[in-house]
Amino acid sequence: MPTPPDFVPASQCEILFSEQQIAERVTAIGEEISADYKDQSIVLVGVLKGAAIFLADLARSIDVDNTFDFVAVSSYGKEKTSSGAVKLIKDLDVPIEGKHVIVVEDILDTGLTLSYLRKLLLQHKPASLKIATCLDKPERRLVPIEADYVGFKIPNHFVIGYGMDYAEKYRNVRDIRLYPEIPTGH
Ligand code: IMP
């Protein structure tokens, strides 16, 4: 039996971005998206579970017609490798053919998840496909992929809060905090 990780209380983790800083950035991205898609409608596709909170805030900052859907992915095995071994565990509920799609992710890290998803979603023939990510860790990239909308670029540090977890905990933390010990594989 694996031993459960020792959790550090969120209050002891240093704040990287406060609730207010996050709200300001999300509002700005929402305005950018509203301008880019003026008079069009879009489908926001959130990647569960990490992007749920970012998507909820982003959707409410957008004033063009939008609907949302969710997909879920998991990586094969414990460690992510450059083989791109990612699998879909929850598919779209609604067809996206001919629709303008924005994939909404919590963190663009190695890029394996989003490059897999992009390839998969493009097979559904959307009218366009863009990526919005709350955080981007460019130093960690294993495959070349960039987001069209980025909340904040951050260095290689493990973070929690605002939907982002460590072993499923801390997703409800309102701000984005630095986790003091970087979990294995990150
Ligand atoms: P990747 O770009 O395929 O490596 O995967 C990105 C996913 O890894 C994100 O959607 C998160 O679920 C997870 N992830 C990467 N870095 C962190 C972090 O610092 N905190 C929490 N989850 C992370």
Side-chain angles (χ1 to χ4, degrees):
M1 279 287 274
T3 39
D6 290 325
F7 291 109
V8 178
S11 57
Q12 284 177 24
C13 301
E14 190 190 328
I15 294 178
L16 183 60
F17 301 111
S18 68
E19 210 182 333
Q20 193 187 333
Q21 285 173 299
I22 299 167
E24 284 168 10
R25 264 315 281 148
V26 174
T27 301
I29 296 174
E31 284 168 0
E32 212 183 314
I33 291 175
S34 303
D36 291 351
Y37 292 88
K38 197 172 181 303
D39 301 326
Q40 290 176 315
S41 52
I42 54 181
V43 184
L44 302 171
V45 176
V47 185
L48 292 172
K49 304 171 196 166
I53 291 178
F54 176 46
L55 186 143
D57 285 345
L58 187 62
R60 287 176 293 174
S61 303
I62 290 173
D63 67 6
V64 294
D65 273 0
N66 69 84
T67 58
F68 43 87
D69 201 349
F70 292 95
V71 291
V73 292
S74 76
S75 48
Y76 285 105
K78 233 172 159 235
E79 300 291 324
K80 284 182 184 160
T81 64
S82 53
S83 67
V86 179
K87 66 175 169 174
L88 191 72
I89 54 175
K90 189 222 164 282
D91 207 343
L92 294 167
D93 292 331
V94 177
I96 56 165
E97 187 171 345
K99 304 267 176 68
H100 294 291
V101 172
I102 302 179
V103 182
V104 181
E105 177 62 305
D106 57 351
I107 306 189
L108 177 50
D109 187 35
T110 62
L112 292 172
T113 306
L114 278 174
S115 47
Y116 166 81
L117 268 179
R118 184 173 59 182
K119 210 179 287 172
L120 193 94
L121 295 176
L122 283 173
Q123 290 170 6
H124 292 260
K125 303 197 183 330
S128 67
L129 185 83
K130 285 193 182 182
I131 294 171
T133 188
C134 181
L135 299 180
D136 183 9
K137 290 186 192 172
E139 283 170 38
R140 293 256 313 158
R141 209 75 91 245
L142 291 177
V143 289
I145 183 161
E146 295 305 323
D148 302 279
Y149 305 100
V150 175
F152 304 96
K153 282 199 176 177
I154 63 165
N156 178 16
H157 206 299
F158 198 83
V159 297
I160 51 139
Y162 198 62
M164 290 165 273
D165 75 310
Y166 171 38
E168 295 297 327
K169 280 185 60 116
Y170 308 111
R171 293 194 196 276
N172 64 321
V173 172
R174 288 177 179 271
D175 23 46
I176 297 173
R177 293 175 181 251
L178 297 171
Y179 199 74
E181 296 140 42
I182 300 180
T184 322
H186 283 273

